[in-house]
């Protein structure tokens, strides 16, 4: 059983910064992917979530992509020792407002069976307003 929990959302003025955290707990072997997505409040539909930043971790190396609106302002990173993924958000704008959800691609091993699956958190609310 894996649980993913986000934190760090808040009300912030335009131009401000926030750092979101996403922590996974449970029977985790490793991450193979991590990402942050934004959705409008009240939707909760996965197909309406906008990718903000995502990283794929492969034996050959890692690759990271950002939404055009996030490039140069947001940075995704991870702390392997804490099973935590971060999203550093700088120069925030009102259009960054939304519910930020974390999706982690996690490998678990149970009874000798290796299983890869994606896990979503419930989100943390970011409001950028003066």
């Amino acid at each position: 059983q894996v649980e993913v929990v986000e934190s760090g959302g808040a009300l912030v003025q335009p131009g401000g910064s926030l750092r979101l955290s996403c922590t996974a707990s449970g029977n985790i072997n490793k991450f193979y992917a991590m990402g942050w997505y934004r959705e409008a409040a009240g939707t909760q539909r996965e197909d309406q979530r906008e990718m903000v930043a995502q990283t794929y971790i492969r034996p050959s190396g890692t690759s990271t992509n950002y939404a055009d609106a996030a490039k140069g302002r947001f940075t995704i990173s991870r702390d392997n020792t804490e099973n935590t993924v971060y999203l550093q958000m700088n120069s925030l704008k009102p259009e960054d407002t939304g519910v930020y959800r974390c999706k982690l691609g996690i490998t678990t091993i149970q009874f000798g069976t290796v299983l890869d699956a994606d896990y979503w958190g419930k989100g943390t609310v970011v409001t950028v307003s003066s």
Side-chain angles (χ1 to χ4, degrees), residues 15-33:
S17 297
L18 283 175
R19 189 177 79 158
L20 306 184
S21 299
C22 169
T23 300
S25 60
N27 184 25
I28 298 166
N29 178 260
K30 62 180 179 181
F31 293 170
Y32 61 83

Side-chain angles (χ1 to χ4, degrees), residues 2 5 23 49 68 70 78 100 105 108 113 117 121:
V2 173
V5 179
T23 300
R49 294 169 188 166
D68 287 343
R78 61 180 168 142
Y100 282 73
T108 61
T113 299

Side-chain angles (χ1 to χ4, degrees), residues 37-40 43-52 99 101-103 120-122:
Y37 296 75
R38 181 176 62 242
E39 66 183 28
T43 58
Q44 298 189 15
R45 286 182 52 175
E46 188 170 336
D47 61 351
Q48 293 183 356
R49 294 169 188 166
E50 176 186 2
M51 188 277 290
V52 175
V99 178
R101 287 181 179 258
C102 173
K103 183 174 77 170
W120 286 94
K122 294 183 178 180

Side-chain angles (χ1 to χ4, degrees), residues 55-67:
T55 294
Y56 291 98
I57 305 162
R58 302 181 179 90
S60 58
T62 61
S63 62
T64 298
N65 297 303
Y66 293 95

Side-chain angles (χ1 to χ4, degrees), residues 1 19 32 40 45 55 63 69 75-76 86 104 107-108 115-116 120:
Q1 189 77 9
R19 189 177 79 158
Y32 61 83
R45 286 182 52 175
T55 294
S63 62
T75 303
I76 186 172
Y86 301 100
L104 300 179
T107 299
T108 61
L115 177 65
D116 289 344
W120 286 94

